Amino acid sequence: MGNRAPTLEDVAREAGVSRATVSRVVNGVRNVAPEIQRSVRDAIDRIGYTPNQAARSLVTRRTGTVALVLSATGRSFTARVFSDPFFGRVVDGVLPVLRRREIQPVLLVAESEQARAQLVEYLRQGGADGALVVPLDEDDPLPSMLLVAGLPTVLFGRPREGERCGYVDLDNPAGARLAAEHLWTTGRRRPAAIAAPVTAPTAGERLDGFRDALAAHGVTSVPVVRGRYTVDSGRRAMARLLKDHPDLDAVFAANDLMAQGACQYLREQGVSVPGTVAVVGFDDSVAARKARPQLTTVRQPVERMAAAMATLLVEQLDGTRTEPASEVFAPVLVVRESA
């Protein structure tokens, strides 16, 4: 072959099959026997053939990419994306699934009405084969826009009522109940909560689950201050709670960063954690292990959830799933020093 790049014909000769068979294997056509597929792929590896992506796209009408979309309608979009370890965990979960299928992720952000419209048009024009969407706000219109445009879409979190869309989610009320039951069984009787912003998709589920579990034990009033998913907002929320309810003995925070901020403020005020006030977070992120003391928290298996999200989209693109599918994961309480 000299210095020229290997071709389909070279692969066909090496594997002892026709050029058409090699083309079907390269382009993912499903009616090729497994042993022939293996023979062709072995030949590809031996001679170093690399498919021409442009030509391949003409045949398959696929770009070989999917969009990983971070979408929000609030002002704190950038601050949260770059401060919350949650988003890095989503990427860690998605990548291995896509790599195995030789699919490249394209990171897109949609932080405004204009950005959302541009993103939808980009995908409609063939910029990517589908979208993995992580909405930050409950009323985010982007998922609906993608569905109306007929674009394959899978969400991290449940879609709004009436939207037929694949998704993965956590049983958030069950996770909050785990936190409440743990605090109750360890003798805490005056709990408070640092809740998520009202616009967050999981805000109501986590707060309601916590309240409902305590109500079953006769606790009818739980002080609540809302944070913004950041360490600083957790500190501010804890300061307000401690000022208004100096006798509180436990705090449940809707994510680990806010719980970490609560612990920082309590320590600075000379309040022992967990001696005087127990603290429970949510997510089991790296922030839970970096906090001092280390956080008791509700584990959300973000990497597994993100991998499942990517798998659902790939199956939709391959035609192995014809209807939107979903998977809901169970939370686990991880007990550490803070409670």
Side-chain angles (χ1 to χ4, degrees):
M1 288 182 288
N3 293 324
R4 68 177 178 84
T7 65
L8 282 179
E9 288 79 4
D10 296 324
V11 177
R13 281 194 296 271
E14 181 74 16
V17 299
S18 69
R19 183 187 187 283
T21 298
V22 175
S23 179
R24 286 198 296 271
V25 173
V26 169
N27 291 310
V29 178
R30 307 179 70 84
N31 62 345
V32 181
E35 62 274 14
I36 295 178
Q37 291 189 43
R38 285 193 296 272
S39 176
V40 171
R41 295 193 186 283
D42 287 344
I44 287 172
D45 290 340
R46 286 195 299 272
I47 71 174
Y49 171 73
T50 302
N52 181 292
Q53 185 59 48
R56 185 173 177 179
S57 295
L58 288 174
V59 175
T60 65
R61 303 198 175 198
R62 296 267 295 274
T63 66
T65 64
V66 299
L68 176 57
V69 184
L70 307 181
S71 180
T73 57
R75 296 179 181 178
S76 60
F77 174 78
T78 303
R80 186 181 171 196
V81 166
F82 289 102
S83 65
D84 194 333
F86 168 81
F87 299 101
R89 296 176 66 192
V90 170
V91 174
D92 283 344
V94 163
L95 283 179
V97 175
L98 299 183
R99 295 293 192 217
R100 285 196 297 271
R101 304 301 296 266
E102 298 182 354
I103 297 173
Q104 294 294 327
V106 178
L107 179 63
L108 302 175
V109 295
E111 78 291 357
S112 66
E113 182 178 350
Q114 180 183 10
R116 285 188 289 276
Q118 290 174 343
L119 185 148
V120 172
E121 186 60 23
Y122 170 78
L123 294 178
R124 281 172 54 89
Q125 295 295 326
D129 299 319
L132 301 167
V133 183
V134 185
L136 275 65
D137 298 312
E138 189 173 32
D139 59 351
D140 191 333
L142 181 63
S144 179
M145 294 167 66
L146 293 168
L147 294 175
V148 168
L151 297 164
T153 302
V154 179
L155 305 183
F156 196 108
R158 295 175 190 268
R160 294 185 295 186
E161 187 173 353
E163 293 178 347
R164 294 191 71 252
C165 182
Y167 70 90
V168 298
D169 199 12
L170 184 76
D171 188 342
N172 287 285
R177 289 194 295 270
L178 288 174
E181 292 295 342
H182 178 71
L183 291 172
W184 185 263
T185 58
T186 54
R188 310 294 171 160
R189 298 295 181 266
R190 298 178 300 281
I194 301 176
V198 292
T199 58
T202 61
E205 292 183 337
R206 292 182 186 180
L207 182 57
D208 289 348
F210 187 67
R211 283 171 162 166
D212 291 347
L214 291 171
H217 293 291
V219 180
T220 57
S221 178
V222 177
V224 177
V225 174
R226 292 193 181 273
R228 301 186 65 83
Y229 284 122
T230 64
V231 173
D232 285 344
S233 72
R235 289 172 56 88
R236 291 192 296 271
M238 190 68 251
R240 182 174 165 188
L241 285 171
L242 199 59
K243 178 183 177 182
D244 295 343
H245 307 277
D247 62 338
L248 64 82
D249 63 0
V251 173
F252 167 61
N255 85 333
D256 290 336
L257 289 174
M258 293 192 297
Q260 184 181 16
C263 288
Q264 288 180 5
Y265 183 81
L266 290 168
R267 186 170 64 246
E268 291 167 4
Q269 299 304 307
V271 178
S272 172
V273 179
T276 303
V277 177
V279 178
V280 178
F282 206 110
D283 285 340
D284 194 27
S285 66
V286 65
R289 295 180 290 278
K290 284 186 174 180
R292 293 295 177 266
Q294 289 192 337
L295 290 174
T296 291
T297 185
V298 177
R299 175 173 293 160
Q300 178 174 211
V302 175
E303 293 85 356
R304 287 173 51 214
M305 294 169 68
M309 176 174 66
T311 298
L312 291 177
L313 181 61
V314 168
E315 291 174 348
Q316 189 175 344
L317 295 175
D318 285 349
T320 55
R321 284 189 185 273
T322 57
E323 294 293 328
S326 62
E327 186 170 353
V328 178
F329 289 73
V332 175
L333 184 74
V334 180
V335 178
R336 298 192 181 96
E337 300 165 354
S338 70

